[in-house]
Amino acid sequence: MTSSSSFSQDAQSFAQNHPEGLRADALMEEDVAWSHEIDGARDGDQLDRAERAALRRVAGLSTELEDVTEVEYRQLRLERVVLVGVWTSGTVQDAENSLAELAALAETAGALVLDGVVQRRDKPDPATYIGSGKALELRDIVLETGADTVVCDGELSPGQLIHLEDVVKVKVIDRTALILDIFAQHAKSREGKAQVALAQMQYMLPRLRGWGQSLSRQMGGGKGGGLATRGPGETKIETDRRRIREKMAKMRREIAEMKTGREIKRQERKRNKVPSVAIAGYTNAGKSSLLNRLTGAGVLVENALFATLDPTVRRAETPSGRLYTLADTVGFVRHLPHHLVEAFRSTMEEVGESDLILHVVDGAHPSPEEQLAAVREVIRDVGATDVPEIVVINKADAADPLVVQRLLRTQKHAIAVSARTGAGIEELLALIDAELPRPEVEIEALVPYTHGKLVARTHADGEVLSEEHTAEGTLLKARVHEELAAELAPFVPATR
């Protein structure tokens, strides 16, 4: 027996807790107050913002054909969706937070959320995800609200997708398809577009459906043609699947070639002994804002989920003058589709190959601990568990002080900052300087003025502890790498 609560009660509870206009306020607000004068100095010159806002879907506008006698009736409008979640474990607050995040994802994708319902079950129904009786109640909700799409808070099997659509009579998509749609909208680089396309094809392949001529068989290629057939041949849907597999193989080869270029750049940084820092974290936690605050990168900042997908690498400098690279990575989310994890593995390797991870968490989020757990699960999947981590509690200016204190107490190497106001940034830079790996050899050398290049390299690649200009040359005391130490060895004063 599966215990389930009434859909009407769930819908009423959701409406009370999430009134109209506040559907996704638990996670995000509409980003309409951005101004170049106020925010431009903080977030840099964002060239993507005008392009992102150039074409937007507008709710309430529609075009309808009056004469529908000879043409098919059409109505162009914003997709109107009803959200459905299955509450299998945790508290009711956890279930509502998960559905509120799904509402934020739907609004980011350009949909209008009309209603949301949660059902209590031990596990999702293997046939219709929510059970046949509840599926009929869902159909009534769809008719009442005028929705044209149902979004399920989970990954549906092909069978669940087909059976639920047969009952509710409108399009049904799951959380994975919704995230893939957002990624397809926001990917800009060639590598990002290829990774998203590969993930979409991996998701679509087992869910490919056909009817009518799609299931008819092609004639076999007999020697004489006509009736001389050899076997039944393959169906149209089998041909489509074969073509998708061929495209996937081609896409994997292209991504592997692009990965080679990324590895060459990474090896060049390692050869020059430049430490690397990767910014990782939940989507909309403020990673791009932090990158802009630390380096002035000018990356697009928007109060939306997965606003930036393409990784950005910038040079930065510690307060002591040491150079390092700072890389912004794709945001994570709970139940991140494994198709995306595999497709974006080459991008996520920036985290695994780094010397330090800045794990950004939204301090104003209702459940920041769940964000931390979700991100660490993906970090574990890419094999970056051994990389040192600093937990950066962002949006401290908007967070509950008690929540910030709790996170500072429970998380090791944690610091509270605000990328918006700049509070805590100086302390964060000092912490990065202390955590970055240091050159292994400490040396004292009297470098003649004719070898000024060695002094410049020591400042660029090493850590200068003291410097004194004498009549014979520059007396340096520094920590350097083994290669540079070997070049400085002839100038080490003899011990008395």
Side-chain angles (χ1 to χ4, degrees):
M1 292 290 291
T2 58
S3 59
S4 61
S5 60
S6 170
F7 255 40
S8 59
Q9 293 177 353
D10 292 332
Q12 183 178 2
S13 172
F14 188 88
Q16 291 174 352
N17 293 319
H18 303 81
E20 182 70 23
L22 299 177
R23 284 183 295 272
D25 282 358
L27 293 174
M28 59 183 290
E29 298 173 350
E30 197 65 32
D31 190 14
V32 297
W34 194 92
S35 68
H36 183 75
E37 294 78 9
I38 299 175
D39 300 318
R42 180 184 75 251
D43 293 328
D45 191 12
Q46 302 177 62
L47 302 179
D48 292 2
R49 180 168 291 278
E51 180 181 346
R52 181 71 63 83
L55 182 62
R56 288 187 178 273
R57 304 166 83 177
V58 180
L61 300 181
S62 64
T63 59
E64 298 185 15
L65 299 174
E66 297 295 335
D67 184 8
V68 294
T69 57
E70 296 183 359
V71 297
E72 180 186 358
Y73 174 80
R74 296 182 181 91
Q75 186 178 28
L76 303 178
R77 63 181 179 183
L78 194 72
E79 281 191 294
R80 301 156 62 84
V81 304
V82 172
L83 310 179
V84 180
V86 173
W87 170 26
T88 58
S89 61
T91 64
V92 64
Q93 187 63 41
D94 295 336
E96 292 185 354
N97 286 342
S98 180
L99 209 64
E101 182 177 270
L102 188 68
L105 287 168
E107 291 181 355
T108 301
L112 179 63
V113 180
L114 301 177
D115 204 349
V117 290
V118 178
Q119 186 199 10
R120 184 73 170 97
R121 292 181 66 94
D122 294 335
K123 60 181 180 179
D125 183 73
T128 59
Y129 183 66
I130 52 175
S132 57
K134 300 302 178 184
L136 292 173
E137 294 182 28
L138 176 62
R139 184 182 63 182
D140 295 337
I141 295 176
V142 169
L143 291 174
E144 290 173 5
T145 57
D148 51 30
T149 306
V150 171
V151 183
C152 297
D153 191 16
E155 183 167 343
L156 272 61
S157 67
Q160 289 174 325
L161 202 64
I162 295 172
H163 293 148
L164 191 56
E165 278 188 351
D166 289 341
V167 176
V168 298
K169 305 302 181 185
V170 294
K171 181 174 65 175
V172 176
I173 63 173
D174 57 14
R175 182 188 182 93
T176 300
L178 184 61
I179 294 175
L180 288 173
D181 181 73
I182 296 172
F183 271 57
Q185 291 181 43
H186 293 177
K188 295 181 64 65
S189 69
R190 178 168 170 258
E191 185 177 10
K193 291 178 180 178
Q195 290 168 330
V196 173
L198 176 60
Q200 286 180 318
M201 285 187 287
Q202 285 178 316
Y203 173 81
M204 182 175 59
L205 184 61
R207 293 167 175 81
L208 203 62
R209 287 182 283 171
W211 53 87
Q213 290 187 352
S214 297
L215 298 178
S216 63
R217 297 191 178 273
Q218 301 176 5
M219 295 292 290
K223 188 174 181 180
L227 296 177
T229 60
R230 294 177 185 262
E234 63 181 354
T235 62
K236 175 68 166 54
I237 194 170
E238 289 170 345
T239 305
D240 292 341
R241 286 171 179 160
R242 176 167 50 81
R243 288 175 177 170
I244 289 177
R245 291 191 186 98
E246 291 173 354
K247 287 183 180 179
M248 288 170 58
K250 180 181 177 182
M251 203 70 67
R252 288 193 180 98
R253 288 193 297 268
E254 292 180 359
I255 293 174
E257 292 174 0
M258 289 182 270
K259 178 183 176 182
T260 303
R262 186 183 297 278
E263 287 179 346
I264 291 173
K265 294 179 182 178
R266 193 182 299 138
Q267 290 171 3
E268 184 69 14
R269 293 197 296 265
K270 286 186 176 180
R271 188 177 66 82
N272 294 326
K273 305 296 184 181
V274 179
S276 60
V277 178
I279 302 178
Y282 212 78
T283 179
N284 206 33
K287 299 183 298 300
S288 298
S289 297
L290 185 63
L291 178 70
N292 290 343
R293 172 66 72 174
L294 294 175
T295 66
V299 177
L300 172 73
V301 173
E302 192 171 18
N303 194 5
L305 306 184
F306 300 114
T308 52
L309 296 180
D310 302 315
T312 304
V313 181
R314 293 290 185 270
R315 288 174 68 90
E317 189 174 321
T318 65
S320 63
R322 300 171 61 201
L323 292 177
Y324 66 97
T325 60
L326 197 61
D328 184 19
T329 60
V330 63
F332 304 141
V333 72
R334 278 181 298 183
H335 312 301
L336 189 67
H338 65 276
H339 309 297
L340 281 176
V341 176
E342 289 300 320
F344 278 78
R345 185 168 293 276
S346 61
T347 303
M348 294 176 181
E349 283 176 358
E350 291 288 347
V351 178
E353 297 291 335
S354 63
D355 298 299
L356 180 66
I357 297 175
L358 296 185
H359 186 164
V360 183
V361 61
D362 183 0
H365 190 271
S367 53
E369 286 86 359
E370 291 185 9
Q371 286 193 351
L372 288 166
V375 174
R376 283 171 178 157
E377 182 179 352
V378 180
I379 289 176
R380 187 165 55 250
D381 289 342
V382 298
T385 53
D386 296 332
V387 182
E389 175 191 69
I390 296 176
V391 176
V392 182
I393 307 168
N394 194 22
K395 306 181 185 179
D397 55 322
D400 186 348
L402 294 178
V403 175
V404 175
Q405 289 299 323
R406 185 183 73 221
L407 291 172
L408 290 173
R409 186 174 60 254
T410 57
Q411 302 297 322
K412 296 180 180 179
H413 294 87
I415 183 171
V417 304
S418 172
R420 176 177 290 275
T421 65
I425 296 298
E426 295 298 328
E427 292 82 356
L428 175 59
L429 288 171
L431 189 56
I432 292 173
D433 195 358
E435 291 292 329
L436 281 177
R438 298 184 176 277
E440 57 272 13
V441 180
E442 185 172 334
I443 193 171
E444 184 175 353
L446 182 61
V447 183
Y449 291 118
T450 56
H451 291 72
K453 288 184 178 180
L454 285 177
V455 178
R457 283 183 56 194
T458 304
H459 278 278
D461 301 339
E463 181 182 357
V464 177
L465 303 178
S466 65
E467 183 178 17
E468 181 183 352
H469 298 286
T470 66
E472 294 80 11
T474 305
L475 182 61
L476 284 176
K477 186 175 182 181
R479 295 185 65 88
V480 296
H481 298 288
E482 292 181 356
E483 295 85 350
L484 185 54
E487 296 183 43
L488 290 171
F491 307 110
V492 175
T495 56
R496 298 177 180 177

